[in-house]
Amino acid sequence: MCGIIGFAGREEAAPILLDGLERMEYRGYDSAGIAVRGEARGLQIRKTKGRLQALADLTHGGADLEGTLGIGHTRWATHGEPNEVNAHPHVSENGRVALVHNGIIENYLEIKEHLQKLGVAFASDTDSEVVAQLLEYHYNECGNMMEAVGRCLRRIEGSYALGILCADYPDTLIAARKDSPLILGCGEHGSFIASDVTAIIKHTRDVIYMDDGEIAVVTPNGVSVFDDELVPVEKAHSQVDWDVSAAEKGGHAHFMFKEILEQPEAIRRTLSPRLKEGRVVLEGLDLTAEDVRRISRIFIIACGSAYHVGVVSKYNWEKLLRRPVEVVLASEFRYCDPLVDENTLVMVISQSGETLDTMAAMREAKRLGGRTLAVVNVVGSSIAREADHVLYTWAGPEIAVATTKAYSTQLALMNLVGLYLADLLGTVSGEEYRAIVAAAEALPGQLEQVLGHMEELQYAASRYFNHSSIFFIGRNLDYAVGLEGSLKLKEISYIHSEAYASGELKHGTISLIEPGTLVVALGMYGPLFDKAMSNVVEVQARGAEVLAVTTESRLEKMGKTAGLTAAVPDTHPVFQPSLGVVPLQLFAYFVALQRGCDIDKPRNLAKSVTVE
Ligand code: M6R
């Protein structure tokens, strides 16, 4: 979704802004723009529709704009079509105020009508322009930009991260946030604002996470933060613990492929500090056995792939904990009047920690008295900061829109959490506990093995890449993995795909199978393997071609029936999905590659979905 960068420093701003915007391209956008304030030329604005390259070409890599103070934005259209006029920065009528905005101003129409009655002419269809015009109005009223920002923020409703320039302030940038991420960066050559740390990591790792309701004054010499009454606030600095190379392709054609390959290491980083002498140790989770015994109900709430992690975890946790676990899409949970009370544990899973639906669902759960535990990848993100407890997946920055290593680390970490809770409850035997810990320890090495054999998947992709519809079938944990395999394929290759619980086939969906249809049959879950085999035969009898994903110990049997096979090492059932998902990620990747798709930035999708 939209990206913001701002710079106040001692170097030319435009090239820094363009570079920062490029590093946030992965978030998804449809137009872009920058505003620079210079000594000689005042406020200069450039905007383009489409890819950032167009903006770079228009400004000759930023060389056309003069000044060391500026803001930049990539827009993912919500209000008004993606075009140059609706692109940010938006400028007030008299040209003195320019701003970039992420989020949605909910009462923009009411403010717009009010300003129009006062004679203000609007240029765009956006909610964001309203903030620029309102700022000018208050600035004219009080003659002080900070005061004007304070007045303006008291009038607007909704979510925002704002970067504001005023022509009368030659070296100052003002930033504000509410329900939309914004960080401040303190660098050697100046100060930054950004909606995403990747935009500024090249310049500094010294960051401050802004909280809701805060306003920051950003100058070349540093940043000062104020609350919504303009009272100064002391803020802690944090050090980002990864460097710029983690957010670069490192010689690979796509971030997605690089991130698939990074999975063993990401899982090692996530699990090994939490496995000590054969025990699961979860710092940040200070639940007592008594606390856990009081939990009568568990919800897992998330969106997209993180929801699919929840589906796997439901199967695993119910077996381990003998407690009801309900997985609910965050966008549904927030409006379904959920049955949450103080004995409810609400697990929240999110890579970005900024997904609006997930955050709203978590707030609803907290409001109802539930205890929230978030599994999040981005340190300092909103969900991480608002949850009662947080456990980080240490996947590192994930740039490709289609998640791979974040999904895998979430899955692995959820297993440790499940095991930890089961141990506190006494619902897991010592033998089972040791077997699961051993499987966790072996997982990174086994993933390396899986990644060493991609040929079958490359071959399968070359054979089926031009199919218009592909099905995934499986039972129990295999079904849960199939959901993720199907989503991966859909989002990056644009092939229609569905995942079905195999037992449901004969209740309707088998009618979709026709001669030549590809069915990806998942047969890794031991207790139901024979049934998985029967389902393969069933679809083959209707003319389907089958790519089966199974375990090494079951390969021979499956190989006699299925046309194409891929096998992953055997492990404890709770970790089998962690291995089984990898061939599906690779299959989706190779199919999309054959189809020439924009793999890292699939159409219409954004990395972090910060609007409803
Ligand atoms: O950042 P989050 O984990 O909260 O994001 C949730 C979904 O938007 C995300 O998993 C999405 O489904 C991915 N693009 C799937 O690859």
Side-chain angles (χ1 to χ4, degrees):
M1 300 238 130
C2 309
I4 286 180
I5 179 167
F7 176 65
R10 289 173 282 279
E11 289 178 7
E12 285 303 298
I16 292 175
L17 300 176
L18 287 172
D19 178 73
L21 292 179
E22 196 184 324
R23 288 171 190 277
M24 288 188 290
E25 264 194 304
Y26 74 96
R27 297 171 65 93
Y29 68 101
D30 43 50
S31 55
I34 53 177
V36 174
R37 191 209 178 273
E39 278 305 312
R41 293 191 225 155
L43 271 184
Q44 307 136 75
I45 317 283
R46 300 288 186 280
K47 309 198 265 190
T48 51
K49 184 182 168 195
R51 291 293 189 205
L52 257 179
Q53 190 54 46
L55 185 64
D57 292 345
L58 179 76
T59 60
H60 297 99
D64 288 359
L65 287 87
E66 168 262 335
T68 57
L69 180 73
I71 48 179
H73 192 262
T74 42
R75 173 174 188 254
W76 194 86
T78 56
H79 295 59
E81 64 176 271
N83 61 26
E84 206 178 298
V85 177
N86 289 333
H88 301 215
H90 289 287
V91 185
S92 65
E93 205 183 8
N94 69 7
R96 285 230 294 273
V97 179
L99 66 75
V100 288
H101 166 228
N102 283 358
I104 291 181
I105 306 301
E106 284 162 7
N107 58 342
Y108 83 104
L109 276 177
E110 169 200 322
I111 300 173
K112 187 170 182 174
E113 279 168 19
H114 174 70
L115 293 172
Q116 278 170 330
K117 279 189 195 138
L118 296 174
V120 177
F122 282 78
S124 77
D125 306 319
T126 66
D127 53 334
S128 309
E129 187 193 349
V130 168
V131 187
Q133 304 289 15
L134 186 64
L135 265 173
E136 178 186 301
Y137 170 81
H138 286 303
Y139 184 52
N140 289 340
E141 238 178 20
C142 67
N144 176 301
M145 200 54 190
M146 267 301 269
E147 178 56 34
V149 170
R151 289 183 192 192
C152 175
L153 298 185
R154 282 191 281 278
R155 292 236 358 227
I156 59 178
E157 288 164 18
S159 57
Y160 51 79
L162 293 166
I164 303 161
L165 288 184
C166 175
D168 301 339
Y169 290 70
D171 64 356
T172 305
L173 186 61
I174 297 179
R177 107 155 238 178
K178 180 173 167 272
D179 290 343
S180 187
L182 199 62
I183 56 165
L184 308 171
C186 306
E188 210 181 313
H189 305 291
S191 311
F192 298 83
I193 65 168
S195 53
D196 185 328
V197 74
T198 47
I200 59 171
I201 186 75
K202 182 174 163 189
H203 305 282
T204 182
R205 292 193 201 178
D206 179 0
V207 301
I208 294 171
Y209 296 102
M210 287 185 75
D211 282 305
D212 280 349
E214 289 179 343
I215 303 170
V217 173
V218 180
T219 71
N221 302 320
V223 299
S224 319
V225 182
F226 303 85
D227 69 12
D228 54 2
E229 301 292 334
L230 306 184
V231 176
V233 182
E234 269 308 309
K235 297 287 290 180
H237 287 240
S238 303
Q239 291 296 315
V240 178
D241 65 358
W242 46 270
D243 65 20
V244 70
S245 64
E248 288 175 346
K249 280 191 204 149
H252 294 288
H254 298 98
F255 277 110
M256 183 180 175
F257 191 63
K258 174 180 175 246
E259 288 160 7
I260 289 174
L261 298 182
E262 282 172 352
Q263 290 181 108
E265 192 45 40
I267 286 189
R268 204 171 271 129
R269 266 201 312 271
T270 302
L271 296 191
S272 58
R274 289 158 169 145
L275 293 170
K276 292 186 182 143
E277 293 163 12
R279 306 289 306 165
V280 177
V281 179
L282 296 178
E283 275 167 29
L285 190 55
D286 48 357
L287 293 179
T288 63
E290 191 40 43
D291 289 334
V292 182
R293 265 193 292 275
R294 268 202 299 269
I295 297 171
S296 55
R297 184 168 203 179
I298 299 170
F299 278 107
I300 303 178
I301 51 180
C303 301
S305 294
Y307 168 80
H308 295 155
V309 170
V311 181
V312 174
S313 302
K314 174 190 163 69
Y315 285 110
N316 282 337
W317 281 32
E318 284 190 338
K319 273 195 206 101
L320 289 170
L321 302 174
R322 307 313 300 155
R323 287 280 190 287
V325 179
E326 221 176 306
V327 201
V328 190
L329 291 164
S331 52
E332 292 296 314
F333 183 92
R334 58 186 292 199
Y335 298 119
C336 76
D337 199 5
L339 297 172
V340 172
D341 62 20
E342 64 282 4
N343 296 324
T344 311
L345 174 67
V346 180
M347 293 296 307
V348 180
I349 308 175
S350 176
Q351 186 283 129
S352 61
E354 302 293 350
T355 302
L356 188 79
D357 283 320
T358 310
M359 190 147 69
M362 183 178 83
R363 286 179 180 164
E364 176 66 0
K366 283 184 83 168
R367 191 184 69 77
L368 295 167
R371 192 191 272 254
T372 53
L373 164 55
V375 168
V376 176
N377 193 41
V378 177
V379 175
S381 56
S382 306
I383 292 174
R385 285 182 301 153
E386 283 188 34
D388 296 319
H389 313 267
V390 61
L391 291 171
Y392 285 109
T393 47
W394 299 113
E398 190 178 65
I399 307 294
V401 164
T403 179
T404 51
K405 63 176 180 171
Y407 169 91
S408 293
T409 51
Q410 288 164 350
L411 204 55
L413 182 53
M414 283 294 284
N415 281 343
L416 287 204
V417 180
L419 186 59
Y420 173 87
L421 297 176
D423 186 44
L424 284 173
L425 278 177
T427 50
V428 63
S429 70
E431 192 188 346
E432 180 85 336
Y433 187 97
R434 284 189 293 279
I436 296 176
V437 168
E441 286 168 342
L443 186 59
Q446 289 184 313
L447 281 166
E448 275 157 10
Q449 265 174 269
V450 176
L451 290 167
H453 299 284
M454 303 182 182
E455 308 77 27
E456 299 94 335
L457 284 324
Q458 266 169 314
Y459 173 69
S462 68
R463 214 163 126 181
Y464 296 107
F465 74 93
N466 56 7
H467 275 217
S468 57
S469 200
I470 294 178
F471 300 103
F472 290 72
I473 61 169
R475 289 169 184 263
N476 198 279
L477 287 167
D478 287 338
Y479 164 57
V481 179
L483 291 171
E484 178 59 8
S486 172
L487 177 61
K488 282 288 85 79
L489 186 72
K490 277 186 268 235
E491 62 181 335
I492 62 168
S493 75
Y494 316 142
I495 294 178
H496 167 257
S497 163
E498 298 295 338
Y500 298 120
S502 314
E504 274 295 290
L505 281 174
K506 57 182 86 54
H507 297 288
T509 45
I510 203 165
S511 63
L512 293 168
I513 306 292
E514 52 188 38
T517 302
L518 177 65
V519 174
V520 180
L522 305 173
M524 291 169 284
Y525 184 59
L528 296 177
F529 179 70
D530 289 340
K531 291 191 191 297
M533 290 284 297
S534 307
N535 291 124
V536 168
V537 175
E538 202 170 60
V539 292
Q540 281 175 329
R542 273 87 186 165
E545 296 186 21
V546 171
L547 163 63
V549 179
T550 186
T551 65
E552 282 164 1
S553 68
R554 299 179 179 98
L555 180 61
E556 196 182 336
K557 202 164 172 197
M558 183 61 96
K560 287 189 185 137
T561 308
L564 289 171
T565 50
V568 298
D570 291 83
T571 182
H572 188 284
V574 304
F575 277 106
Q576 202 67 66
S578 297
L579 296 170
V581 75
V582 177
L584 308 187
Q585 295 168 342
L586 287 167
F587 178 64
Y589 174 77
F590 290 129
V591 166
L593 196 63
Q594 294 268 352
R595 291 167 71 90
C597 297
D598 190 352
I599 292 181
D600 286 336
K601 296 190 281 286
R603 70 184 179 208
N604 305 338
L605 288 175
K607 181 66 181 164
S608 167
V609 184
T610 51
V611 294
E612 193 171 356

